[in-house]
Amino acid sequence: MNAPLNAPTLATVADEAGVSRQTVSNALNSPELLRPDTLARVQAAIEKLGYSPNRAARNLRTRSSHLVGLRVEPAVEDSANALMDRFVHSLVESTREAGYHVLLFSAEGEPAATDGYDELLRSAAVDAFVVTDTYRGNPHAAWLTRRGVPFVAFGRPWGDPSARHPWVDVDGRAGVVQAVDHLVGRGHTRIAWLGWQKGSYIGEDRRSGWVDQMHAHGLSTSRLSARGDDTLEFGARAAQALLDVPAAERPTAFVCASDTVAMGALRTFDELGLRAGRDVALVGFDDSIAAQVCTPTLTSVRQPLEQVAVEVVRYLGRLLGHRPIPDPGCVLTPTLVVRQSS
Amino acid sequence: MNAPLNAPTLATVADEAGVSRQTVSNALNSPELLRPDTLARVQAAIEKLGYSPNRAARNLRTRSSHLVGLRVEPAVEDSANALMDRFVHSLVESTREAGYHVLLFSAEGEPAATDGYDELLRSAAVDAFVVTDTYRGNPHAAWLTRRGVPFVAFGRPWGDPSARHPWVDVDGRAGVVQAVDHLVGRGHTRIAWLGWQKGSYIGEDRRSGWVDQMHAHGLSTSRLSARGDDTLEFGARAAQALLDVPAAERPTAFVCASDTVAMGALRTFDELGLRAGRDVALVGFDDSIAAQVCTPTLTSVRQPLEQVAVEVVRYLGRLLGHRPIPDPGCVLTPTLVVRQSS
């Protein structure tokens, strides 16, 4: 088959846009050098022809490092969510099987979009990146895409329907639906939601599972939810406020957007003399180590991070092997791990 | 100064041992090829002359990868100890400041001494290693030393006084001494120890802090300790057994070799209707995330992992810069983080 021979090149993009090859190269690597209208014309030509800067970037490489770069964020104390640590372990395992190693890097001080990435690209130390913080508005994904750097995201390109990079994500909404079904099955009807601020795509996705499934069961969600930061303090305060009403209006169960929030709720239960799993039911999200070892143990939605890592590496293999990627997105379903708290 | 000119070489070692240079090279890289008596003769010559295979190995390298290899072990569920995750974060930060990145690798299946290490060495993908599992009898350290591969250990070369590699460790004994002093200061006299099996150097070191400091305060240690695995189950069972005696003989406080063991003890307290921090005092070791977020929060000995990483990188810089290492070992002191449980 001669499809590769017909694949668009830098030259065909330049012809289409009526600019020089250097201008196309600049559009990919230093877009700030171009006038906005020129940049828009080149981008339109890239779009129309389906030009893959990934392939072009690969062809420029003289060696393969067999390294995949992953940026780690500073560890957060007083938070139950060690999700990324579990993902790193899984990714190391999956990449090893594919003949790759994981290179960890970090950004100095307040992380900007490109910190660390540009340095590694200049030194050509990695073949590709795995990007895990796409939910913050996706600056890394957009930056890497413009430069034609191969990468796979853990996390959907929320709010960016034009994104073309491969991604793997977990269906948070489905996890919360399972939590609500579990609690309804145990006889609860006043099930509260402790979630994050508006503006978090992930938070809204998880919350939608609660809203929709409560309504599916014919249950009211009125005055049963709170929004705040992903902290113990928020969880404690929100549980306190929701319980500080006449007995008939009190929630009998709580579903939380994270284990950190759930651990905060546990503190309030403890202060009020309530026992999770006996007097009130509680479900967290992330199946953190804390959920597994605390007393009472915490029911929680577990993300299949091992499977996420496998799918990420599968996409990486296709990207780096210049094989077609039929579907750029892969959504995996979490499971509910039922423990003492519910 | 001409000291480097006088430094022993492969040739002077060969002369001293009365063997060929190839034999010295084999002794360093493939010792299994040599007859035991020949190997012993070469090793004696290396020892006598103070030959540094590290430097020799470095001179053979044609490029510097600016990568430091770190092997990660599979994540363990139902255990509070995410110590290594915190260390990985700290190491990424410290190496970045030194212009290095951390390459994570893992071993396939049941990890043998050399799994992963040899593969990375063959591909020359790393400049040096950080070895974190020296406590298991040190197979990696011995293997890397024989091959002249630069590495720094997090963990003392327990039981191997001949070890010459640089290492950084935390004074576990001193941490337990602080825990005992803290509990004695709160009026406790019957303070129990929940520790690991004999045979763990780290476990015996921590236990010695309890034994010695109890005696320093004139307190008995008789029938106040238990040994077992580093599991929740052991902690729960051991606390149960120690509390299942007449009231006057019961311990009023427990110090544990790990937060995992302490979380197990918390389960038993809960079953018996005892509240840590009110009816009984409890101290863990590692300052895990679980210690920080559980209810009640757990007093715990915190290892200064950020400082460990800084010292590890300092040694790496000396090794890779061929600078002298005045003292191959560095012991740091942990701190006691006091929380509700005591």
Side-chain angles (χ1 to χ4, degrees), chain A residues 63 67 72-80 82 85-86 88-89 92-93 96 101-109 119-120 232 263 266-267 270 275 287 289-290 292-295 297 302, chain B residues 63 67 72-80 82 85-86 88-89 92-93 96 101-109 119-120 232 263 266-267 270 275 287 289-290 292-295 297 302:
Chain A
R63 69 178 178 93
L67 291 173
V72 292
E73 307 303 325
V76 177
E77 302 280 319
D78 287 320
S79 159
D85 289 326
R86 229 180 92 212
V88 170
H89 279 270
V92 169
E93 290 295 321
R96 179 178 53 71
H101 291 294
V102 174
L103 183 151
L104 292 187
F105 66 105
S106 65
E108 193 163 4
E119 179 204 336
L120 278 177
L232 290 165
M263 289 290 160
L266 270 182
R267 287 192 180 172
D270 186 63
R275 170 83 178 193
D287 197 28
I289 286 173
Q292 300 169 23
V293 304
C294 68
T295 302
T297 52
R302 182 180 176 88
Chain B
R63 69 178 178 92
L67 291 173
V72 294
E73 308 302 325
V76 177
E77 302 280 319
D78 286 321
S79 159
D85 289 327
R86 230 180 93 214
V88 170
H89 279 269
V92 169
E93 290 296 321
R96 178 178 52 72
H101 291 295
V102 174
L103 182 152
L104 292 186
F105 65 105
S106 66
E108 193 164 5
E119 179 204 336
L120 278 177
L232 291 165
M263 289 291 160
L266 270 182
R267 287 193 179 170
D270 186 65
R275 170 83 176 191
D287 197 28
I289 287 173
Q292 300 168 24
V293 305
C294 68
T295 302
T297 53
R302 181 178 176 89

Side-chain angles (χ1 to χ4, degrees), chain B residues 174-199:
Chain B
V176 174
V177 164
Q178 290 178 51
V180 171
D181 283 347
H182 163 69
L183 292 167
V184 169
R186 303 265 159 128
H188 293 279
T189 55
R190 296 190 59 76
I191 302 167
W193 172 254
L194 304 187
W196 299 331
Q197 308 278 12
K198 276 185 193 177

